[in-house]
Amino acid sequence: MIVLMEPTATEGQIADVVERLIAAGVSMQRLDGDRVTIAATGGNTAAAGDSGVDGMAGVAAVIAGSGGTPMVTARESPGNGGVATLATGPAARPERGFQVRGRWIGGTGLFFAAGPCSVEDPETMAAIAAEVAAAGGTALRAGAYKPRSSPYSFQGMGEAGLATARSAADAHGLLLVSEVLDATQIPIATRYVDILQVGARNMYNTSLLRELGRSRRPVLLKRGLAATIDEWLSAAEYIVSAGNPRVILCERGIRTFETATRNTLDLNAVPVVRERTHLPILVDPSHGTGLRTYVRPMARAAIACGADGLLIEVHTDPDRALSDAAQTIDPLTLRQVIRDAEAIRAAGEVDDAYSRATIG
Ligand code: PEP
Ligand code: MN
């Protein structure tokens, strides 16, 4: 359970709420974001519910969440537009999805982020961005800070890469998604990037997550290599509870005993996440399979099971991509992937209506 204070709540009002919770025997944690939230911790949420803080001066809402992730799995929680537009009416799921610079993610349409694994030279980036736009993409993706398994692999182009990717995206009206590896990169990246990516290897980096929570920039949170869905949602909770409601989850495959593919794309996660949280979810079949021939079939499956869109690695000359060449598709395949995805989404809507009409 969390107590969400009004943005205008005074320190005195916050202290009164804390005192009331202490009197009820509730342990708690105070989180200072856009506004103060007080999260009841330690399994004593029933006492917190009975404490009567609901209705105290300065309290905007008391949110009954399940487990340790009240802000991302709450029946009422910050939805579109975030904490400031919290619905305090009857318990209802918040609206799914939100806008990033006017483009919806998690709404009725699909969201496609595509581009090279790493930012490359300006000519290559310009050519790839043109292909992404022509295929119907929403955002250009490209890493300038690369979390490589080997310290001897290409580590990315840093700020110069961000500038290159930004101009390629702008030339075609695309949003830009790019990864930050640590909190010091956030101020630099926010000068160029519309959506800050947290890579699988950083999903447990709680100080980075908190810092991203203080940022106003939407965050694309990849699932950790061996993270359970609960742990992934807890990582999202770090960001949302620190004041940033615009988190996009991205399933990118998990480590299993299987070696025929780089990872095992866990599409079970899509309906599970859709049931448990209002946050939008993308699927990344590039890292999920590691091999370009499997990207298109798994992209189809991802949309069929309810993903809000895809994150795809594409290059005008895939074999020469600076990183992740084996899983990088060519522009023609990207067009097919996006066309398939739109057709599957449309068929799903028809099928729902058809089933209701004919079966009930
Ligand atoms: C990437 O998107 O290029 C990337 C490094 O992904 P992940 O963190 O999922 O491995
Ligand atoms: Mn990659």
Side-chain angles (χ1 to χ4, degrees):
M1 186 203 84
I2 60 170
V3 181
L4 185 68
M5 302 301 295
E6 297 283 4
T8 52
T10 64
E11 278 303 322
Q13 291 169 334
I14 295 164
D16 288 346
V17 169
V18 168
E19 203 174 301
R20 179 80 64 93
L21 289 169
I22 290 172
V26 175
S27 58
M28 74 204 83
Q29 194 185 349
R30 172 178 167 161
L31 302 151
D32 291 5
D34 246 11
R35 53 166 89 192
V36 171
T37 55
I38 301 164
T41 56
N44 47 9
T45 55
D50 294 342
S51 66
V53 288
D54 205 357
M56 283 180 74
V59 172
V62 176
I63 302 170
S66 57
T69 52
M71 298 198 76
V72 306
T73 59
R75 281 174 291 122
E76 282 179 21
S77 107
N80 176 29
V83 175
T85 59
L86 179 80
T88 51
R93 269 184 188 275
E95 288 295 312
R96 294 185 76 254
F98 47 80
Q99 289 183 53
V100 184
R101 290 183 59 198
R103 309 297 299 263
W104 273 94
I105 176 150
T108 46
L110 294 170
F111 188 98
F112 302 103
C117 179
S118 304
V119 181
E120 309 213 359
D121 60 88
E123 293 70 34
T124 308
M125 285 306 302
I128 295 172
E131 293 289 356
V132 170
T138 325
L140 182 68
R141 63 135 291 148
Y145 302 104
K146 294 307 299 178
R148 305 308 299 281
S149 298
S150 165
Y152 308 116
S153 301
F154 176 59
Q155 303 290 309
M157 293 170 57
E159 186 170 358
L162 292 174
T164 297
R166 179 76 262 168
S167 30
D170 283 347
H172 298 281
L174 296 167
L175 300 175
L176 180 62
V177 183
S178 197
E179 176 167 359
V180 284
L181 297 182
D182 65 59
T184 64
Q185 294 166 353
I186 298 174
I188 304 164
T190 47
R191 274 186 239 135
Y192 304 95
V193 173
D194 301 305
I195 300 176
L196 298 165
Q197 178 172 325
V198 177
R201 289 156 195 78
N202 253 327
M203 191 210 81
Y204 292 107
N205 183 343
T206 52
S207 64
L208 173 62
L209 300 174
R210 273 195 209 283
E211 211 50 57
L212 287 165
R214 292 190 196 103
S215 158
R216 304 259 52 82
R217 221 30 71 90
V219 175
L220 187 149
L221 177 64
K222 289 219 171 173
R223 181 177 181 181
L225 302 165
T228 64
I229 293 172
D230 273 339
E231 290 167 335
W232 187 19
L233 294 177
S234 288
E237 184 85 11
Y238 265 94
I239 301 168
V240 177
S241 65
N244 185 352
R246 290 192 293 171
V247 176
I248 302 156
L249 298 166
C250 181
E251 165 61 45
R252 49 79 70 207
I254 51 174
R255 280 268 165 85
T256 67
F257 52 80
E258 184 53 71
T259 54
T261 49
R262 179 181 181 184
N263 291 293
T264 296
L265 188 62
D266 178 19
L267 291 183
N268 290 351
V270 175
V272 173
V273 159
R274 285 195 63 134
E275 184 178 74
R276 293 191 43 196
T277 172
H278 61 286
L279 299 176
I281 178 164
L282 298 184
V283 168
D284 169 359
S286 305
H287 294 84
T289 62
L291 294 164
R292 67 174 71 115
T293 47
Y294 305 139
V295 169
R296 186 176 172 195
M298 295 316 289
R300 289 174 168 165
I303 301 303
C305 69
D308 296 303
L310 300 165
L311 185 95
I312 302 266
E313 286 185 343
V314 63
H315 196 287
T316 42
D317 190 352
D319 284 330
R320 304 184 77 147
L322 289 179
S323 52
D324 284 348
Q327 68 196 31
T328 298
I329 60 172
D330 61 21
L332 175 64
T333 311
L334 180 68
R335 286 180 193 225
Q336 292 170 328
V337 163
I338 291 180
R339 192 197 51 198
D340 290 352
E342 300 286 13
I344 291 166
R345 169 58 73 104
E349 282 159 8
V350 169
D351 186 54
D352 261 1
Y354 178 79
S355 304
R356 272 197 306 276
T358 56
I359 302 167

